[in-house]
């Protein structure tokens, strides 16, 4: 006998969902009007809660509006005591140093090599293992305008509109223009994207896309990309140093960036790496749990790269904006916050309230969709509350089988079927309970279209950067971003290293930053934090502030 994972009151609500399914299969609610969008964002998107933001008090981006959690780890001293490091003892000397072992880092290394740098002169350093990253965890797909009805200009307009026109035009241009070549290269490397019988790429819509442009490998697109890139890195004998997170950038006496200090997680010793070019590909800040939200993110996503870059003098951009993915798991408790890919809605699943009613178009851009879901729970009180107090709404996955035929879910979402099946939840038969979850850092370090930061010899690529997506990224543009800008950073660095001469190494900028902290009497714990601290009680309660309720 199988045990129903849902308590009776949730099962009763599921019965209501089932009753409305046939009728709903023929009707989907329309998009929000522009006025409704403004209203729901202002009143329900967590970014618009003023009390949750503050202005940075010092550093190159003094005055930049950031989440409180970000200010806490930026406005603080370094975990590294500059005086305790002997910079004359260089443990590794390399031409190109890549900090981060995800998709952006692997792309940077491979394209630096393709641009003529010998593999033995490239070093990837990573906090955990090569490939332990958000890239591996990405599910739904990668955007690229490769179909005859599409082109990069349309992709540009979608990304720009989705980002509320706050995107940096040269960065978006680079993103969309290079997308087709990235997809072609990935195919040449042997990545198994889903295809139609005639060999053309399968593609679906994501929120805010005017063309079907999301290409995928079932629901583990990122794992497919990372597995292939990691094999390429290892097969080409590019050097990888694992379990060695970077703690601070090193400069030379002329102020140019000249490497990093790493922490050996095993021996707890510091390691000095000198490099002619340093590329930051450390990812974002999901594990800061902004406003107490759970997250889809990898364990190592603790904002380290941004902190190091900021202390070295690189501005932070658009940090006011945080992406909450509309559909994180809200039940069962063991997987709260994990991603339920947007592709589920792309394939037709609708979002429903406790009465089995549709209340929004399922593929609004993420910020709007997440706000509509929060409104339905907190503003209209139409959500379900689980026995452990999580708020949620139904994502009607069985509708997909009704629309596209039996077997569609297993074929497209085999990883997710397993993920929920482990806890007795059968997404083919029953809807999934979902709620917004912290997914992506829209802002980050400022770069130009060549992935260069304003500090000499320092490049950055992927989620650690801000500007490409404006204040709201579209689905599938992050796997694309790590690919395009990882590649660009590798090529740019390869072009420059021949002209770089390094002087005496120094950590004077860290001492100076620490002095700013003293001046401002900051008492926050030092950073980067490297790993989230789940011993703190604050992470236990995910509640929105009461003044947020209407
Ligand atoms: O780009 C993303 O964030 C993505 C594809 C997520 C998803 O829903 O699968």
């Amino acid at each position: 006998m199988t045990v129903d994972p849902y308590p009776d009151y949730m099962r009763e609500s599921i019965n209501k969902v089932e009753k409305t399914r046939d009728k709903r299969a023929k009707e989907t609610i329309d998009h929000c009007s522009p006025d409704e969008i403004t209203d729901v964002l202002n009143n329900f998107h967590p970014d618009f809660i003023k009390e949750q933001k503050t202005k940075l008090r010092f550093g190159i981006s003094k005055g930049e509006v950031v989440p409180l959690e970000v200010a806490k780890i930026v406005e603080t001293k370094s975990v590294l005591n500059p005086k305790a490091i002997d910079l004359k003892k260089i443990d590794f000397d390399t031409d190109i140093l890549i900090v981060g072992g995800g998709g952006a880092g692997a792309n940077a290394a491979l394209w630096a090599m393709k641009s003529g740098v010998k593999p033995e002169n490239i070093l990837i350093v990573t906090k955990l293992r090569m490939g332990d990253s958000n890239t591996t965890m990405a599910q739904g797909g990668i955007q690229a305008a490769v179909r005859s009805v599409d082109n990069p200009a349309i992709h540009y307009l979608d990304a720009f509109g989705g980002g509320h026109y706050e995107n940096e035009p040269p960065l978006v241009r680079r993103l969309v223009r290079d997308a087709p070549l990235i997809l072609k290269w990935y195919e040449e490397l042997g990545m198994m994207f889903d295809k139609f019988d005639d060999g053309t790429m399968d593609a679906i819509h994501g929120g805010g896309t005017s063309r079907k442009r999301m290409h995928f490998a079932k629901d583990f697109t990122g794992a497919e990309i990372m597995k292939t890139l990691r094999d390429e890195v290892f097969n080409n004998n590019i050097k990888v140093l694992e379990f060695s997170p970077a703690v601070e950038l090193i400069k030379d006496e002329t102020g140019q960036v000249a490497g990093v200090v790493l922490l050996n997680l095993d021996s707890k010793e510091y390691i000095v790496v000198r490099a002619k070019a340093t590329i930051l590909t450390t990812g974002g800040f999901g594990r800061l749990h902004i406003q107490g939200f759970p997250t889809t993110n990898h364990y190592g996503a603790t904002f380290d790269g941004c902190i190091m870059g900021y202390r070295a003098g690189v501005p932070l951009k658009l940090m006011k904006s945080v992406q909450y993915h509309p559909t994180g798991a809200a039940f069962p408790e063991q997987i709260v916050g994990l991603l339920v890919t947007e592709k589920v809605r792309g394939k037709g699943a609708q979002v429903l309230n406790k009465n089995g009613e549709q209340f929004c178009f399922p593929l609004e851009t993420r910020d709007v969709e997440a706000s509509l879901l929060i409104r339905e729970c907190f503003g209209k009180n139409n959500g379900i509350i689980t026995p452990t107090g999580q708020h949620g709404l139904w994502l009607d996955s069985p509708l997909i089988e009704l629309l596209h035929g039996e077997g569609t879910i297993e074929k497209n979402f085999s990883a997710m079927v397993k993920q929920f099946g482990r806890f007795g939840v059968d997404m083919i038969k029953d809807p999934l309970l979902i709620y917004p979850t912290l997914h992506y850092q829209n802002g980050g370090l400022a770069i130009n279209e060549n992935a260069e930061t304003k500090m000499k010899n320092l490049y950055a690529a992927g989620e650690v950067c801000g500007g490409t997506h404006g204040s709201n990224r579209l689905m599938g543009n992050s796997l694309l971003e790590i690919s395009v800008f990882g590649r660009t950073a590798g090529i740019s660095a390869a072009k420059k290293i021949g002209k770089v001469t390094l002087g005496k190494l120094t950590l004077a900028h860290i001492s100076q930053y620490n002095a700013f902290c003293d001046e401002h009497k900051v008492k926050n714990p030092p950073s980067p934090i490297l790993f989230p601290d789940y011993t703190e009680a604050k992470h236990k309660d995910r509640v929105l502030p009461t003044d947020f309720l209407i």
Side-chain angles (χ1 to χ4, degrees):
M1 198 186 77
T2 51
V3 181
D4 190 352
Y6 293 108
D8 289 349
Y9 72 96
M10 287 175 78
R11 178 56 62 191
E12 276 161 32
S13 176
I14 291 177
N15 292 341
K16 291 182 187 165
V17 168
E18 284 171 355
K19 280 206 182 98
T20 57
R21 188 171 291 139
D22 283 335
K23 186 162 177 285
R24 282 185 288 104
K26 299 181 199 96
E27 53 191 39
T28 295
I29 279 189
D30 234 3
H31 276 285
C32 281
S33 69
D35 284 350
E36 265 181 284
I37 288 179
T38 309
D39 182 70
V40 78
L41 285 175
N42 283 336
N43 288 303
F44 291 95
H45 195 284
D47 275 355
F48 290 79
I49 306 174
K50 281 204 190 72
E51 298 71 25
Q52 294 291 334
K53 299 279 161 77
T54 186
K55 286 185 180 166
L56 287 179
R57 287 180 294 159
F58 53 88
I60 181 85
S61 297
K62 183 177 168 186
E64 171 82 10
V65 175
V66 303
L68 297 178
E69 295 81 354
V70 167
K72 191 173 162 197
I73 63 168
V74 171
E75 290 179 342
T76 185
K77 290 187 181 178
S78 175
V79 283
L80 190 72
N81 172 6
K83 291 196 188 102
I85 307 294
D86 180 5
L87 292 172
K88 287 198 230 54
K89 190 182 147 292
I90 292 163
D91 299 291
F92 291 88
D93 210 350
T94 186
D95 280 350
I96 297 192
L97 167 67
I98 295 153
V99 185
N107 260 286
L110 292 168
W111 284 95
M113 185 190 74
K114 280 162 80 75
S115 309
V117 184
K118 293 202 179 102
E120 59 267 31
N121 295 332
I122 302 171
L123 174 65
I124 300 177
V125 296
T126 180
K127 186 182 284 187
L128 294 168
R129 294 162 304 178
M130 184 69 201
D132 282 339
S133 62
N134 280 342
T135 302
T136 300
M137 296 171 83
Q139 299 177 358
I142 177 165
Q143 286 205 47
V146 293
R147 299 168 66 236
S148 56
V149 291
D150 200 2
N151 64 52
I154 305 175
H155 187 177
Y156 181 100
L157 292 176
D158 285 349
F160 214 58
H164 300 282
Y165 311 100
E166 292 188 86
N167 325 47
E168 292 284 324
L171 300 184
V172 197
R173 213 175 296 132
R174 166 73 72 187
L175 181 83
V176 301
R177 269 197 194 158
D178 287 0
L181 82 83
I182 285 292
L183 214 56
K184 184 165 171 290
W185 183 56
Y186 280 171
E187 279 224 83
E188 284 163 10
L189 290 181
M191 289 184 203
M192 305 284 282
F193 290 103
D194 290 14
K195 294 197 173 158
F196 294 117
D197 290 344
D198 66 0
T200 56
M201 288 263 187
D202 196 351
I204 55 159
H205 272 300
T209 56
S210 63
R211 298 288 184 281
K212 289 183 177 172
R213 190 186 297 124
M214 201 69 50
H215 309 286
F216 46 82
K218 293 182 184 272
D219 58 343
F220 42 77
T221 315
E224 176 67 13
I225 290 177
M226 194 68 239
K227 165 175 78 70
T228 313
L229 291 174
R230 190 180 46 198
D231 284 353
E232 277 303 293
V233 165
F234 287 138
N235 290 341
N236 281 289
N237 297 318
I238 291 171
K239 288 184 291 176
V240 179
L241 192 61
E242 297 181 320
F243 299 106
S244 304
V247 180
E248 290 299 351
L249 290 164
I250 300 171
K251 291 189 178 181
D252 79 357
E253 61 206 337
T254 68
Q256 47 181 353
V257 171
V260 292
V261 178
L262 307 175
L263 175 69
N264 179 331
L265 287 183
D266 205 12
S267 67
K268 302 285 182 289
E269 284 167 331
Y270 286 113
I271 300 169
V272 173
V273 185
R274 180 168 64 183
K276 290 184 181 160
T278 302
I279 305 176
L280 292 174
T281 60
T282 47
F285 66 16
R287 290 283 164 170
L288 297 190
H289 294 281
I290 309 294
Q291 296 191 35
F293 273 80
T295 185
T296 59
N297 274 208
H298 183 259
Y299 193 61
T302 49
F303 206 60
D304 313 347
C306 284
I307 294 168
M308 288 184 268
Y310 190 68
R311 287 195 179 123
V314 183
L316 286 166
K317 298 204 64 155
L318 283 170
M319 286 310 306
K320 62 179 178 144
S321 163
V322 181
Q323 178 159 92
Y324 300 90
H325 193 295
T327 57
F331 182 91
E333 183 71 17
Q334 294 93 325
I335 55 169
V336 165
L338 290 195
L339 183 62
V340 176
T341 173
E342 191 164 322
K343 190 181 167 196
V344 176
R345 281 173 288 138
K347 275 284 178 193
Q350 297 163 345
V351 187
L352 310 170
N353 63 23
K354 66 181 178 192
N355 304 315
E357 299 156 340
Q358 284 189 82
F359 56 90
C360 63
F361 178 69
L363 283 175
E364 299 284 4
T365 55
R366 284 186 177 163
D367 52 350
V368 177
E369 189 80 14
S371 307
L372 288 163
L373 268 58
I374 294 171
R375 183 179 72 182
E376 195 65 14
C377 286
F378 286 87
K380 303 204 168 166
N381 205 16
N382 278 332
I384 298 270
I385 301 177
T386 68
T388 57
Q390 306 287 345
H391 291 254
L393 294 150
W394 296 115
L395 180 63
D396 193 13
S397 45
L399 180 61
I400 295 175
E401 301 264 297
L402 194 63
L403 295 172
H404 302 285
E406 236 175 76
T408 309
I409 292 188
E410 182 59 53
K411 182 164 174 256
N412 282 274
F413 303 105
S414 51
M416 195 154 302
V417 167
K418 274 209 182 70
Q419 173 172 297
F420 280 93
R422 222 173 265 152
F423 304 99
V425 174
D426 181 353
M427 70 179 283
I428 302 172
K429 282 201 343 250
D430 284 332
L432 303 173
L433 198 75
I434 50 85
Y435 190 77
T437 177
L438 174 50
H439 187 53
Y440 189 81
Q441 168 191 309
N442 288 318
L445 297 174
I447 54 164
N448 66 15
E449 67 272 31
N450 298 320
E452 294 161 327
T453 70
K454 77 186 270 277
M455 297 312 299
K456 231 171 149 195
N457 309 338
L458 183 66
Y459 306 77
E463 194 175 348
V464 71
C465 304
T468 306
H469 309 293
S471 53
N472 178 61
R473 178 177 66 77
L474 297 188
M475 173 193 180
N477 275 349
S478 86
L479 280 178
L480 180 59
E481 173 187 40
I482 54 120
S483 311
V484 165
F485 286 98
R487 171 182 181 272
T488 305
I491 295 172
S492 296
K495 272 191 202 151
K496 290 271 172 72
I497 48 169
K499 296 178 201 123
V500 176
T501 313
L502 297 175
K504 194 168 153 230
L505 304 188
T506 168
L507 286 167
H509 65 289
I510 302 301
S511 306
Q512 197 181 11
Y513 196 90
N514 286 348
F516 281 139
C517 294
D518 283 338
E519 256 173 53
H520 287 84
K521 299 189 174 33
V522 293
K523 296 227 162 33
N524 298 323
S527 69
I529 57 172
L530 305 182
F531 295 105
D533 180 2
Y534 290 120
T535 59
E536 285 182 48
K538 69 182 166 115
H539 291 302
K540 282 208 314 242
D541 305 310
R542 178 169 59 90
V543 284
L544 292 168
T546 43
D547 59 1
F548 191 44
L549 307 179
I550 53 170

